[in-house]
Amino acid sequence: MKPLLVLGVESSCDETAAAVVRLADGRAEALSSVVASQAAAHAPFGGVVPEVAARAHVEVIEPTVRHALAEAGVTLKAIDGIAATAGPGLVGAVMVGLAFGKALALAGGLPLMAVNHLEGHAVSVRLTADVPYPFLLLLVSGGHCQLLEVAGIGRLHRLGSTIDDAAGEAFDKIGKALGLAYPGGPALERLAEGGRAERFPLPRALAGREGCDFSFSGLKTAAARLAERCADEADRRDLAAAVQEAIAAQLAERSARAMALYAAQHKSTALRFVVAGGVAANRTVRAALEAAARAHGFSFHAPPLAYCTDNAAMIALAGAERLAAGMTDDLDAVARPRWPLDEASALASPTHKPGRKGAKA
Ligand code: KG4
Ligand code: ZN
């Protein structure tokens, strides 16, 4: 099959991103990946402000796309298709990138792929490594925490998901309680260096319980209360280490359960475990997951840090794989603030009550 060049656009939260990915014989290569972060614009508010995000995307989307094309050394004429994130995310933010992607597709007479942001994270590992389908995926980001069987592009089956907060949300909220700037995850990891985790025993929700669901709200409340009583920097460091350890332990314990289930269903295929999403950038989390994978006979794969957090290369790759499979979308594709990857499982056993717009996650 002829190589495909796909331009990806991502704007679902607080990063405006564009990238060009080349897909040839199932192997991907990112020719460029540009990320314009709005973190500084949201930092004074301690979290992402939807209206601020949408406006900031509008301001930088065009130069970001130009930059990605220039860095890849191509013009729109060389592109075979446009991939744009169509959700889930902040609806105003998603609409900016999706509308821009549609305009490019229309202007260039190119196919459009309306990509689920989570599917982007799911394939992100394939940008730099040859990880064939199927694989078991732990997707851990600021908005999501779920275990999925990834059988192929567009074929994902959910094994478990958080019943309250996402792991990244727990990092961010506890980081805030510890007085750290947004986003709390990376700042908490830095603070935890050299900390003594054993000083603060924290709740281990669902440990030993059946199933592959997650829960972080008890840990969040307990840690926020302890943070109020931290007297000095050493206390804060030890508490940060304890929080990081507790989150890593839960992610590893629940993933190990999913590995056992997955292994029983995939007796004749190689067992691969992939972690993706912003929280996969955390070294303690990675080490705990890698140990669990090794103990269960799985190979372990994680994207490089730049592809763990939000980027458009992963959206371009998901789009390229879709294009190769003939899965394109019409120009009337809508922005979806809620868009579960596995809609059948999400509707059959919703982890959140379905809202007006359907199952959340
Ligand atoms: O995937 P991502 O960039 O955006 C979403 O789709 O949510 O993930 C962002 C999340 C934030 O909650 C951030 O605090 C967390 O990933 N994160 C980390 C680290 N780097 C990013 N959490 C813990 N340790 C890190 N090093
Ligand atoms: Zn993300």
Side-chain angles (χ1 to χ4, degrees):
M1 198 171 167
K2 130 180 186 328
L4 292 174
L5 269 194
V6 170
L7 171 71
V9 181
E10 153 66 33
S11 69
S12 64
C13 191
D14 59 345
E15 329 268 15
T16 318
V20 178
V21 164
R22 183 175 186 270
L23 183 67
D25 301 322
R27 292 291 188 98
E29 187 193 354
L31 304 186
S32 65
S33 179
V34 179
V35 179
S37 176
Q38 309 174 354
H42 299 287
F45 305 99
V48 178
V49 183
E51 180 62 22
V52 173
R55 281 170 191 257
H57 286 307
V58 170
E59 278 164 25
V60 303
I61 189 126
E62 202 220 323
T64 304
V65 168
R66 271 185 203 284
H67 188 169
L69 285 169
E71 212 174 278
V74 297
T75 62
L76 200 55
K77 282 203 180 71
I79 299 291
D80 298 298
I82 308 288
T85 300
L90 304 169
V91 73
V94 173
M95 278 166 67
V96 177
L98 181 60
F100 199 87
K102 285 178 180 179
L104 286 177
L106 187 65
L110 296 170
L112 172 78
M113 284 73 68
V115 172
N116 184 312
H117 177 82
L118 306 177
E119 187 171 272
H121 279 301
V123 303
S124 60
V125 73
R126 291 162 59 81
L127 282 164
T128 48
D130 183 19
V131 183
Y133 299 117
F135 53 79
L136 176 63
L137 171 76
L138 171 67
L139 176 55
V140 264
S141 68
H144 301 274
C145 186
Q146 35 187 293
L147 280 154
L148 297 143
E149 179 208 349
V150 186
I153 193 77
R155 292 192 292 138
L156 297 99
H157 175 67
R158 194 184 74 190
L159 298 174
S161 140
T162 183
I163 55 173
D164 41 56
D165 294 335
E169 203 175 348
F171 268 116
D172 293 340
K173 288 180 179 166
I174 297 169
K176 196 170 179 182
L178 278 164
L180 301 173
Y182 173 85
L188 193 142
E189 180 173 18
R190 282 193 296 276
L191 176 63
E193 270 168 40
R196 291 170 302 154
E198 64 284 359
R199 261 197 67 208
F200 292 100
L202 288 165
R204 299 269 153 118
L206 304 175
R209 219 71 86 74
E210 270 195 33
C212 306
D213 287 338
F214 301 86
S215 168
F216 293 102
S217 71
L219 169 70
K220 185 184 68 186
T221 311
R225 245 185 239 140
L226 287 167
E228 282 170 19
R229 284 192 265 136
C230 281
D232 56 22
E233 195 59 19
D235 281 353
R236 292 171 70 246
R237 188 162 59 227
D238 294 345
L239 180 57
V243 165
Q244 185 170 257
E245 184 85 27
I247 293 178
Q250 186 182 147
L251 292 173
E253 197 261 344
R254 309 311 287 174
S255 297
R257 284 182 175 271
M259 287 175 202
L261 286 175
Y262 181 96
Q265 287 165 5
H266 294 80
K267 293 219 169 77
S268 56
T269 52
L271 300 174
R272 303 174 194 95
F273 180 77
V274 174
V275 59
V279 178
N282 186 284
R283 281 162 297 165
T284 303
V285 167
R286 274 194 195 218
L289 293 170
E290 192 165 2
R294 201 170 300 133
H296 286 78
F298 278 68
S299 57
F300 176 80
H301 311 270
L305 298 191
Y307 295 141
C308 280
T309 46
D310 286 349
N311 65 88
M314 66 184 194
I315 303 302
L317 175 56
E321 291 192 14
R322 286 186 162 262
L323 181 58
M327 297 153 80
T328 59
D329 294 280
D330 292 333
L331 283 179
D332 62 0
V334 291
R336 296 179 60 176
R338 296 175 184 189
W339 186 3
L341 268 178
D342 175 356
E343 276 174 290
S345 295
L347 289 171
S349 71
T351 41
H352 302 276
K353 283 206 179 65
R356 265 185 307 125
K357 299 185 179 76
K360 267 191 190 169

